Amino acid sequence: MPDNRPLLFFDSGVGGLSVLAATRKLLPTAPIVYAADSAGYPYGTKSEAEIAARVPALLGRLVERYRPRLVVIACNTASTIALAHVRSALDLPVVGTVPAIKPAAALSKTRVIGVLGTEATIRQPYVDRLAAEFASDCLVLRHGSAELVDLAEAKLRGEPTDPAAYARVLDGLVSQPGGERIDTVVLACTHFRLVEPELSAARPLAYVDGAEGIARRIAFLTQGQGWPGERPIGTAVFTRLDDQVEALRPALARFGLAEVAGL
């Protein structure tokens, strides 16, 4: 008998679709529920206390409704703040998302790395620990951008975005002392991979994120489990349904999420 329990992806918005896309390549027939906390978006400007309380409560409701085999917190901000809380609250595997500082350090030739994330992510002690453990011989510069999250959301709604905006965000990294030597940028927000072509056009650097590594972790944790023979229709769940969600329907369909529901 096929196992129809879904993988549950969670983010504040559409950023986690970048992780979903990487996972689809390894597990093409996996049932998917993608949950976006549209009522709480954006997370990057919220306090740690608010995220630590909100995320476990929402995931508890989602797990109760959809009975997934595994939960993916496809959001750097939620993971760096609430991952331990979620794991202690849920009795199933939970995969988090962390800034890809280790692979960036392995790639960098100049030994100057940029970390581009939300304000909430880049100030986390977890990022300090990653930098100390995996990039101790590198200069690691950070810049937080809420604007880039909004640009990614707008792009998926089919709205035009200003190329100058991407250059302006990257200037927040390269204008720092030593920033002119950056050759590798960590996209420490899952939204940012969705606008990687625009970032590369603004400044041709190596951009690194953790989507493929997360996908491999999901495949490892579900090894030996059954999957449907064909890809089922995926479901996108939003904590608030509004006109912006309606505008996302074509993009969601491209990611295999043809059903839209509210929580």
Side-chain angles (χ1 to χ4, degrees), residues 112 139 141 173-183 203 205:
V112 183
L139 174 61
L141 302 175
L173 278 176
V174 299
S175 64
Q176 297 179 42
E180 74 282 353
R181 294 192 294 118
I182 289 175
D183 66 349
R203 193 172 285 269
L205 300 168

Side-chain angles (χ1 to χ4, degrees), residues 123-147:
R123 66 174 178 251
Q124 293 305 311
Y126 191 84
V127 179
D128 298 332
R129 293 196 295 273
L130 287 173
E133 184 173 357
F134 299 114
S136 59
D137 65 333
C138 296
L139 174 61
V140 180
L141 302 175
R142 310 180 198 185
H143 179 63
S145 174
E147 181 183 16

Side-chain angles (χ1 to χ4, degrees), residues 15-68:
L17 293 173
S18 61
V19 181
L20 168 56
T23 305
R24 282 282 198 208
K25 293 177 182 177
L26 296 184
L27 302 169
T29 65
I32 300 292
V33 172
Y34 183 90
D37 184 13
S38 46
Y41 171 92
Y43 279 3
T45 56
K46 285 186 164 44
S47 71
E48 282 83 348
E50 189 172 357
I51 291 170
R54 185 175 183 88
V55 172
L58 279 174
L59 279 168
R61 290 171 61 194
L62 287 160
V63 166
E64 187 175 343
R65 177 183 292 188
Y66 292 103
R67 301 294 177 186

Side-chain angles (χ1 to χ4, degrees), residues 139-157:
L139 174 61
V140 180
L141 302 175
R142 310 180 198 185
H143 179 63
S145 174
E147 181 183 16
L148 199 53
V149 179
D150 289 337
L151 287 166
E153 293 272 334
K155 178 184 177 180
L156 260 71
R157 291 194 299 268

Side-chain angles (χ1 to χ4, degrees), residues 106-129:
L107 190 65
S108 176
K109 299 291 191 295
T110 64
R111 314 314 291 157
V112 183
I113 296 169
V115 178
L116 198 58
T118 66
E119 290 285 357
T121 294
I122 64 165
R123 66 174 178 251
Q124 293 305 311
Y126 191 84
V127 179
D128 298 332
R129 293 196 295 273

